[in-house]
Amino acid sequence: MLLLVGTNTTEAHPVIGYRMKQAARRGAKLIVVDPRRIELAEEADYWLRIQPGTDIPLLNGLMNIIIKEGLHDEAFIAERTDNFEALKETVEKYPPELVSEMTGVPVDDLYAVARLYATTDKAMTFYTLGITEHICGTSNVMSIANLAMLTGHLGRPHTGVNPIRGQNNVQGACDMGALPNVFSGYQRVTDPAINEKFEKAWGVPLSDQLGLMIPDMFDKANEGKLKSMYILGENPVLTDPNSNHIRSGLANLEFLVVHELFLTETAEYADVILPAASFAETDGTFTNTERRVQRVRKAITPLPELTTWQAIIALSNRMGYAMNYSDPGEIWDEMASYSPSMAGINYDRIDAKGIQWPCPTLEHPGTGYLHSGTFSRGKGLFQAIDHVPPGESPDEEYPFLLSTGRILYHYNVTTPYSPGIQSLWSEERAEVNPDDADRLGVHTGDMVKVASRRGEITTKIQVTDRVPPGLIWMSFHHTASPTNAITSDAVDPITKTGEYKVCGVRVEKL
Amino acid sequence: MGLIKLIIDGKEVEVSSGTTVLNAAEQAGIHIPRFCYDKELSSCGACRICVVEIEGMRNLVASCVTEAAPGMVVNTETTAVVEARKMVLELLIADHPQDCMTCEKMGDCSLATYCHRYGVKKSSFEGVQHSYPLDDNNPFIVRDMNKCILCGLCVRACNELPGKDNLHFANRGFDRKATTCGDVPYVDSDCTFCGTCVTFCPTGALTERSLHGTVRRWELEKVRTTCPFCGTGCNFDLCVHDDKVVGVMATEEAVVNGRSLCIKGKFGVDYVHNEKRLTTPLIKKDGEFVPASWDEALDLIADRFAEIKEKNGPDSFASLSSARCTNEENYLMQKFTRAVMGTNNVDHCART
Ligand code: SF4
Ligand code: SF4
Ligand code: SF4
Ligand code: FES
């Protein structure tokens, strides 16, 4: 059985979506939780069309039914988890009738799905940005984990909670320590022993203070405290929420370097732009959403002459810190030798099939699924979680709910540069429900103005019942309709993820 | 599942029960021709190029839909088999344009391969030939239905792998056609341009537009790599010619995705050669970007970064690394930030 919460897999991760569809057609049960009638909703046994931002009441409501009916896995809870009582107390406050009112899901469906999920031997849960891009993103994820632990759907093949990672190498960028709190392999910068290990390895003193996360960086830049930045292969002006704040931060820097394939909106603010080499021009590795490290191979001569790794090395050497690597394999080996979870991986071993970390030794085959036997913290901890309303809800002035996401044809920032894909799908087409379209007097192909408290943009629309009344849905791939100029700047307090999914807007015919 | 033994072309072969004769032969190193069969798809036994002779059976049987049985004696290349295959081929080429010399699929076409194998040069059948118009008003796929041999692989591939159900067989007899709902061009159908049908098509009926007019298939250099778009991590081969990426081909050796790809992996990598690519460093002078040498640009960056760090301390610097770059590049970025600039201010858009 597959439970999909806030993941439009067939568009964001198409080949994983194919597999889900194949599984559903072979008879696996499929439950889709999404406000939009996405492709997999058509294949689903149950499609729960929830009000955006009500994931927690829904999950709590399902747990309420499961506990009431005694369908939870008592043995698993006793052996492998802590804090069950607190969870029980909280979910008691979410009886089906109330949850139905909050989420818009019929009571019968709540019962059916709760029973189906709890009584199925193997159930996998998948989520992506639909869950994390909320002010309560972290709590959403914990609620999903609660549900899985409650029913023992963890730590065995074909069970578990599976975040599907967005971009090709989000997993790898995290694994490599491109984060303010950890070195490669999630080793904490604040841990004295770890810090000392890297000081020895790299031969320089290192800071043991947590660094800044992206939103803090731009706050500090706006305050004038952050003076210089080096931005590699990211276009925060287009992809971060509330782009006006990003723009003013960038403009306020004393010195900005942008290392990019194209002259992006962000690169416009640079003092120096370095041309980047594409994936086809370099050797290296990417790590996919199942933690599989796979090879990237150089197919053509780098267009900018220097590959990106060569340019970073050249800069470092100029600044008096010697980096001597003659190929990316040597960089990988250095990383692996200081990162226990990846120590057993090298280019020879991953040549044909890749390896999934953790892989601590050269003999280790890699790890297909996590949490068998024990969780990383020993026992799984239930977290009692209450509903957090969205940071901004529709009101009289801004009556529509704007939600954003990806479409199949584009991937953030690179696909708009594919001439073929661009010719097929070159502009934003915001989705509007037929009822709303009638009231506004607009038709597919018309231009509308979408305004929020932060700004306004214009976009073409598509009238479709994929979206429920009151919701307008847009992607964020197009420079001409920069959706993130109007999205909310509310962030999850823990991960600082922007609340891209929900904000109030006004829609006007042009 | 039990093992059974049978004899194929005089060789004793042991296979698990339930294996088809075609696959049993494959395991013994004998390649039986096939058009409508593919191991990733359901079987239909329609084309009959895979026929073999089995002792004790009156008629030739289609090996792709016949289960191997204990003690079975199979011969895969008897005179009768060869005659039958020639007949299938002659019937097919009777209604097939014989413009192999200019066909894009030349070198990778099963029809040509088997005609060559059985010495079929021309057809003894004569009849009306189809003259379907070319469907090429989309940027990715060229569809020449005159070259279609009605094997149905595209139909089953589209339905069974991406599950898009965009193709089916329409009409009967001479007008039978593997096509979209309503027989409209791909661009007007529900096609998502995942390219799976192209990957499975054994002839020149479905081809990648980007490869047209480049080189012969056997001259393409292929480089196995990982898709740069989403976290699924599909593997595929980049087709390279003249130091340019001209196309992408799926490979069954890919652990994650097999021969499935989506539009981005299959057709989106042409961004690599977009004319807007930056190829030289640029330095902003009086509000204008001016081309510079690497030396000039890197010297300037090194000086400015050092100067600002000197004046305002290490934490006045921050870097953004990239979820699109390789692990090695990300490792170097955080090492540069920490070891050279002396701060932990490094992050990336993990959240987008
Ligand atoms: S490209 Fe994909 S969706 Fe389109 S017809 Fe072929 S297999 Fe089906
Ligand atoms: S288009 Fe290709 S795959 Fe489809 S039926 Fe014709 S020959 Fe077979
Ligand atoms: S081919 Fe499509 S599904 Fe596969 S990794 Fe690339 S973008 Fe993702
Ligand atoms: S391959 Fe066996 S009938 Fe077509």
Side-chain angles (χ1 to χ4, degrees), chain A residues 21 179 301 318 334 347 418, chain B residues 163 243 270 295 299 328 338:
Chain A
K21 207 167 184 182
L179 290 171
T301 314
R318 266 186 179 68
E334 173 182 314
Y347 279 21
S418 160
Chain B
D243 211 18
D270 55 353
D295 278 334
D299 281 341
E328 292 71 9
R338 297 188 156 114

Side-chain angles (χ1 to χ4, degrees), chain A residues 13-15, chain B residues 227 229-230 232-234 261-262 264-265:
Chain A
H13 301 87
V15 169
Chain B
C227 180
F229 292 110
C230 91
T232 307
C234 296
L261 292 172
C262 78
K264 290 171 276 192

Side-chain angles (χ1 to χ4, degrees), chain A residues 156-416:
Chain A
R156 291 176 294 141
H158 310 296
T159 65
V161 176
N162 306 272
I164 314 182
R165 306 307 300 258
Q167 299 219 76
N168 58 315
N169 204 32
V170 175
Q171 180 69 48
C174 296
D175 299 346
M176 292 303 113
L179 290 171
N181 57 340
V182 289
F183 295 103
S184 55
Y186 304 94
Q187 304 177 80
R188 310 209 145 261
V189 296
T190 46
D191 179 332
I194 297 290
N195 213 276
E196 201 186 312
K197 172 168 96 173
F198 279 95
E199 288 189 336
K200 270 213 193 96
W202 294 347
V204 283
L206 296 172
S207 161
D208 58 1
Q209 301 295 307
L210 289 181
L212 301 174
M213 294 200 239
I214 293 180
D216 302 329
M217 288 180 188
F218 288 100
D219 288 348
K220 285 264 184 330
N222 276 300
E223 289 163 22
K225 289 192 184 124
L226 192 72
K227 307 276 186 195
S228 67
M229 277 189 91
Y230 180 177
I231 300 182
L232 168 65
E234 296 274 11
N235 188 6
V237 171
L238 192 65
T239 57
D240 274 51
N242 197 356
S243 58
N244 294 334
H245 186 64
I246 307 277
R247 284 179 188 273
S248 58
L250 291 172
N252 211 22
L253 290 170
E254 267 179 40
F255 189 66
L256 172 63
V257 177
V258 175
H259 201 156
E260 254 297 355
L261 293 164
F262 298 101
L263 187 64
T264 58
E265 291 80 357
T266 302
E268 300 279 0
Y269 289 86
D271 295 284
V272 181
I273 302 177
L274 297 177
S278 78
F279 85 112
E281 295 146 51
T282 189
D283 281 305
T285 54
F286 289 150
T287 306
N288 79 352
T289 182
E290 44 165 16
R291 289 167 285 101
R292 186 184 296 276
V293 184
Q294 305 190 102
R295 276 302 311 275
V296 173
R297 293 186 184 80
K298 180 177 168 195
I300 55 170
T301 314
L303 269 59
E305 190 186 338
L306 290 190
T307 58
T308 303
W309 59 272
Q310 285 169 328
I312 302 172
I313 290 172
L315 177 61
S316 179
N317 288 338
R318 266 186 179 68
M319 295 189 67
Y321 182 86
M323 287 192 186
N324 305 301
Y325 310 95
S326 51
D327 68 79
E330 292 178 9
I331 303 172
W332 175 272
D333 290 342
E334 173 182 314
M335 185 285 303
S337 69
Y338 299 116
S339 311
S341 56
M342 290 173 278
I345 301 179
N346 60 41
Y347 279 21
D348 282 343
R349 288 194 70 195
I350 60 172
D351 194 53
K353 300 193 161 152
I355 293 182
Q356 288 170 274
W357 69 262
C359 175
T361 64
L362 288 173
E363 292 72 40
H364 194 284
T367 309
Y369 60 100
L370 298 173
H371 309 309
S372 71
T374 53
F375 294 103
S376 23
R377 68 170 288 278
K379 285 196 169 184
L381 184 67
F382 281 111
Q383 306 272 3
I385 289 161
D386 265 309
H387 179 45
V388 188
E392 181 179 302
S393 301
D395 52 24
E396 250 164 55
E397 204 183 340
Y398 297 97
F400 277 90
L401 208 123
L402 169 71
S403 187
T404 67
R406 288 178 212 298
I407 56 169
L408 167 65
Y409 299 97
H410 282 314
Y411 212 87
N412 287 7
V413 274
T414 334
T415 38

Side-chain angles (χ1 to χ4, degrees), chain A residues 55-194:
Chain A
D55 304 85
I56 290 174
L58 176 77
L59 293 160
N60 280 348
L62 295 176
M63 289 189 271
N64 176 297
I65 298 172
I66 290 170
I67 296 174
K68 278 255 157 61
E69 303 204 339
L71 299 173
H72 49 298
D73 184 340
E74 278 173 20
F76 186 92
I77 294 170
E79 259 168 57
R80 304 268 315 263
T81 68
D82 283 333
N83 211 25
F84 175 62
E85 286 309 315
L87 175 83
K88 195 171 159 190
E89 210 170 284
T90 301
V91 303
E92 253 162 37
K93 293 182 289 183
Y94 293 83
E97 293 68 28
L98 174 69
V99 169
S100 174
E101 214 170 276
M102 293 168 93
T103 60
V105 176
V107 172
D108 287 350
D109 284 0
L110 293 173
Y111 275 104
V113 168
R115 287 174 188 152
L116 182 63
Y117 180 82
T119 55
T120 302
D121 177 38
K122 288 174 175 167
M124 296 176 92
T125 308
F126 295 86
Y127 68 88
T128 42
L129 302 177
I131 278 298
T132 49
E133 278 176 5
H134 282 288
I135 190 162
C136 50
T138 309
S139 307
N140 282 349
V141 173
M142 287 177 186
S143 289
I144 293 178
N146 284 343
L147 179 62
M149 288 195 293
L150 185 67
T151 46
H153 290 319
L154 275 176
R156 291 176 294 141
H158 310 296
T159 65
V161 176
N162 306 272
I164 314 182
R165 306 307 300 258
Q167 299 219 76
N168 58 315
N169 204 32
V170 175
Q171 180 69 48
C174 296
D175 299 346
M176 292 303 113
L179 290 171
N181 57 340
V182 289
F183 295 103
S184 55
Y186 304 94
Q187 304 177 80
R188 310 209 145 261
V189 296
T190 46
D191 179 332
I194 297 290

